[in-house]
Amino acid sequence: MLARQRQAAILDRVRAAGGVRVSDLAGEFGVSDMTIRRDLDTLHERGLLAKVHGGATLALSGSTDEPGFAAKSVRQPAEKAAIAARAAALVRPGAAIALSAGTTTAELARRLVDVPGLTVVTNSLPVAEVLHTGGRPDQTVVLTGGVRTPSNALVGPLAVAAVRSLHLDLLFLGVHGITERAGYTTPNLMEAETDRALVAAADRLVVLADHTKWGTVGISSIVELAAADVLISDGRLAPDARRVLGEKVGELVIVTGSEGAQ
């Protein structure tokens, strides 16, 4: 297969799935990782995709652009693992918690499968699947109804109604972006409303956000920065972000990549 044909096929896969991994493409096309990386470089230079750690996603531009779950799952995997590991340490047996949609919260779910007596409320299909297939028999998983988004979240009036009557110990919230002015944001208007309902139902809010979320703005604000009791991010978080968040949130926790090692 010629390089141009392979690049066209790669672009088709990115458009279909929202994101691809270098290792998967190398195996599929029978070429080296280096060859795939050169293909991704070419497509990136043409503005057809965005390179991320270990792969590529669709090129995004606006505040309403919402990448799919597969696209986001290839971004910052080490940082997300470290954040999830620290977040898991906050969960106690028998707790009633909520996990919002997101790839970092899905990583957290994988670390909660052995927590006894846990009740988990979520609007995330991947989170629910992780706990349903791998969790303990004494765990309870409550999946809200709603309209499915590109990031595999369930949102809208049904999701909000399902959450409003609940009283939860902790909410672990994944976000699309964070700025000082807009707070925690999402590119989906209905998801913002659903997330606000989750925040209102929980005694404590723990935001999970790797360093790339700082400076990104989705169209809709969820809550202001000060609403977070804890924000967990990684060591690549910019100094200005650390200063602002350190002043605004209850506790800013910075983790290193090694904390997510298996």
Side-chain angles (χ1 to χ4, degrees), residues 64-236:
T64 59
D65 287 318
E66 185 174 5
F69 186 88
K72 292 190 289 186
S73 67
V74 301
R75 300 176 179 177
Q76 289 73 49
E79 288 88 343
K80 290 175 181 178
I83 291 167
R86 179 60 68 88
L90 301 176
V91 180
R92 298 289 178 262
I97 67 172
L99 273 64
S100 78
T103 52
T104 309
T105 52
E107 182 67 29
L108 171 59
R110 298 182 187 100
R111 297 168 184 273
L112 299 179
V113 294
D114 294 323
V115 179
L118 195 62
T119 297
V120 180
V121 176
T122 186
N123 68 322
S124 166
L125 292 168
V127 166
E129 181 64 18
V130 166
L131 293 167
H132 175 72
T133 59
R136 293 169 53 101
D138 61 355
Q139 292 181 341
T140 300
V141 181
V142 179
L143 179 63
T144 71
V147 178
R148 186 173 183 170
T149 73
S151 59
N152 284 340
L154 297 176
V155 302
L158 287 176
V160 171
V163 170
R164 277 183 173 162
S165 63
L166 302 177
H167 304 281
L168 305 167
D169 299 314
L170 280 170
L171 164 63
F172 294 96
L173 179 69
V175 298
H176 174 77
I178 307 173
T179 66
E180 184 173 9
R181 180 183 66 83
Y184 309 108
T185 64
T186 172
N188 187 299
L189 292 169
M190 287 197 295
E191 187 162 9
E193 183 181 12
T194 304
D195 285 344
R196 283 192 290 271
L198 287 167
V199 171
D203 288 340
R204 299 184 70 213
L205 169 61
V206 181
V207 175
L208 311 181
D210 67 73
H211 68 279
T212 64
K213 304 303 176 66
W214 179 256
T216 299
V217 183
I219 190 172
S220 184
S221 294
I222 304 168
V223 288
E224 62 183 11
L225 296 183
D229 297 287
V230 181
L231 188 148
I232 307 176
S233 191
D234 63 86
R236 296 172 64 188

Side-chain angles (χ1 to χ4, degrees), residues 22-40:
V22 169
S23 57
D24 292 341
L25 293 174
E28 179 179 348
F29 293 110
V31 297
S32 68
D33 286 5
M34 185 59 68
T35 296
I36 295 298
R37 289 193 180 94
R38 284 196 294 265
D39 289 335
L40 298 183

